Amino acid sequence: MGTKLDGLIKSEKDVTQIVLSSFEDTSDPRLKEIMASLVTHLHAFLLETRPTEKEFEASLRWIASLGHNTNSANNEVVLAADVLGASTLIDIMNNDGGKGETMSALLGPFYRGGAPDCEAGDDIARSAQAGDPLFFSGRVMDLDGTPIAGASVDVWQASPVGFYENQDATQDDFNLRGKFTSDAEGHYSFRSVKPSGYPVPTDGPVGDLLRAQERRPFRPAHVHFIVSAPGHKTLITQVFSDSHKALVEDVVFGAKEAIIGDFISHTGPDPDYPGIEGEFYSCKFDFKLVEGTPTFPIPPISGKVED
Ligand code: BEZ
Ligand code: FE
């Protein structure tokens, strides 16, 4: 027997429209648009893939465990967005480099903010560790090449064994993190150790997913930067130092050709780098900023794991 009661679900075909109708009174137009689109696509995805109840429960447990595995030193939610390519898609949609500014790359889950202020040339390797010395320098400029003085160059990287300091009890606080300021000609410079590629954390639900998908968890070697200056759009990027294969296989799709650095190997004394012996590397990389309003990300982590 049919029913004449409108607004009640009779079959799977009714669900999406009835849910969308319940959003009608949302007064914030952007929230209304986003939620309507989210539900439309989510329901279309469910109707297409037709998960079983068991699969649906497992997926909800997986999402909940992203939160349970997020703490002061690990942000599993950011990591999940990264390995699904969402972070890189958001990044490139909002920062396409179209005006000639340096290409951006995703922030990643290991930016903790509050890095110590450093003087030009300072060494950010605060812990004793094996690794080839790296001399990194360049200029911060406008699109037309005019130097930007007083720009902030916030740097962080993994150690030569592939851990950020917050992941590794053997490293000192803020090891391989520092904040520099460009000089009157836009120059910045620091000393560090050559980074290596590393696996993203795989001891949580993101690792479970990567294993289930038979994906390699590796990121190519890189150094992270946030470059900012008054009157300019903040640049969040990474400078890469790795093989083409490692760049292509980046598990979070962050590598781009325009931000591959030229890491030059030096095997003997070099007058440009006095006082350094043995093998070392140098990299010169200029950053071009576009005019705009500086904005700063909220750090995804705050430090080491709390006891
Ligand atoms: C990183 O480069 O620090 C990173 C980015 C995405 C996921 C994990 C690590
Ligand atoms: Fe990184």
Side-chain angles (χ1 to χ4, degrees), residues 23-223:
F23 296 171
E24 273 307 309
D25 291 344
T26 310
S27 55
D28 179 333
R30 182 68 175 148
L31 178 64
K32 190 171 181 179
E33 177 196 0
I34 287 175
M35 290 310 297
S37 180
L38 174 67
V39 158
T40 303
H41 288 276
L42 175 64
H43 288 206
F45 158 72
L46 294 174
L47 287 164
E48 180 187 317
T49 56
R50 305 196 77 81
T52 63
E53 286 162 300
K54 221 171 150 195
E55 287 169 336
F56 184 53
E57 284 165 18
S59 69
L60 296 183
R61 274 199 304 279
W62 188 81
I63 291 170
S65 66
L66 296 177
H68 295 144
N69 281 270
T70 293
N71 52 49
S72 58
N74 183 60
N75 195 318
E76 199 78 4
V77 180
V78 172
L79 186 59
D82 294 345
V83 303
L84 295 176
S87 305
T88 285
L89 183 55
I90 290 280
D91 174 33
I92 205 156
M93 286 191 307
N94 287 281
N95 310 285
D96 64 5
K99 297 200 172 74
E101 70 271 36
T102 302
M103 285 294 279
S104 63
L106 76 182
L107 179 73
F110 293 124
Y111 175 61
R112 62 177 281 202
D117 286 323
C118 300
E119 298 295 326
D122 276 359
D123 193 348
I124 59 170
R126 303 170 202 283
S127 302
Q129 64 216 320
D132 293 323
L134 168 67
F135 292 85
F136 205 113
S137 61
R139 296 175 80 194
V140 185
M141 300 183 282
D142 269 324
L143 296 187
D144 64 3
T146 308
I148 302 178
S152 164
V153 180
D154 196 349
V155 186
W156 70 105
Q157 68 169 80
S159 73
V161 294
F163 287 119
Y164 287 85
E165 48 83 50
N166 57 288
Q167 300 177 289
D168 179 0
T170 69
Q171 294 184 46
D172 290 325
D173 208 23
F174 286 107
N175 187 41
L176 300 174
R177 298 180 191 262
K179 201 186 252 192
F180 296 81
T181 305
S182 63
D183 69 13
E185 279 85 46
H187 290 292
Y188 72 91
S189 62
F190 63 94
R191 181 175 168 164
S192 185
V193 281
K194 190 164 183 285
S196 65
Y198 58 85
V200 299
T202 54
D203 53 354
V206 171
D208 294 339
L209 177 66
L210 294 176
R211 277 183 293 279
Q213 293 184 296
E214 298 170 49
R215 290 170 62 186
R216 288 163 47 80
F218 295 102
R219 291 229 60 210
H222 58 273
V223 181

